[in-house]
Amino acid sequence: MRNAAPDRSKRELAADVDPRVPLALERTFLAWIRTGLAMMGFGFVVARFGLFLRELERARGGAVPAGRGISPMMGTALVALGVCASGWAALRFRRDLAAVAAGESPLARSPVVPTLIALALCGIGAATIWYFLTSS
């Protein structure tokens, strides 16, 4: 059964949107961007920390361990995760704005990606803890 009211254009639907909704979406987007940048920055620090420790040992005149250690792998994983979080945030922001403009609720989206990012961070953290406990 068809509605008696004619179909409304996207422009008319967008005009009815509470201006707080797109602004809230933008704040959420910017929070995800900050999260991604923080993960990338921290990943860089972690990746270079092993190099710092080797140089410190070399300056003390001690034996420099062979290999690169786990720091570059952990750091690279954090940087990659930050890149994924930022890319996902951009895609999600665009989809949510389009949903709001079409008169749909952006809250019906699945929280799979944020959950996966959180689980990946837990995995990286657990691997780091394991490394700290087994390397000393």
Side-chain angles (χ1 to χ4, degrees), residues 2-136:
R2 215 175 137 88
N3 289 340
D7 290 338
R8 297 175 63 190
S9 71
K10 284 187 177 183
R11 183 171 289 197
E12 290 172 331
L13 287 172
D16 290 341
V17 172
D18 184 352
R20 294 175 293 183
V21 174
L23 292 174
L25 291 174
E26 186 174 359
R27 283 191 304 273
T28 302
F29 170 64
L30 292 174
W32 272 103
I33 293 298
R34 284 190 302 270
T35 300
L37 285 171
M39 282 190 282
M40 287 185 266
F42 187 60
F44 178 80
V45 170
V46 168
R48 296 297 172 218
F49 189 67
L51 176 65
F52 169 73
L53 290 177
R54 280 200 321 264
E55 292 301 317
L56 187 63
E57 191 62 32
R58 182 176 289 144
R60 289 182 177 172
V64 179
R68 296 177 57 184
I70 198 169
S71 293
M73 290 183 288
M74 291 295 178
T76 301
L78 284 168
V79 170
L81 202 55
V83 169
C84 290
S86 296
W88 173 82
L91 293 174
R92 175 87 181 236
F93 178 64
R94 297 282 305 205
R95 274 192 320 213
D96 287 350
L97 278 181
V100 168
E104 300 168 5
S105 172
L107 298 177
R109 305 279 188 217
S110 170
V112 171
V113 175
T115 303
L116 290 175
I117 289 172
L119 290 174
L121 283 173
C122 287
I124 292 169
T128 304
I129 290 169
W130 175 81
Y131 175 73
F132 288 157
L133 292 175
T134 59
S135 66
S136 54

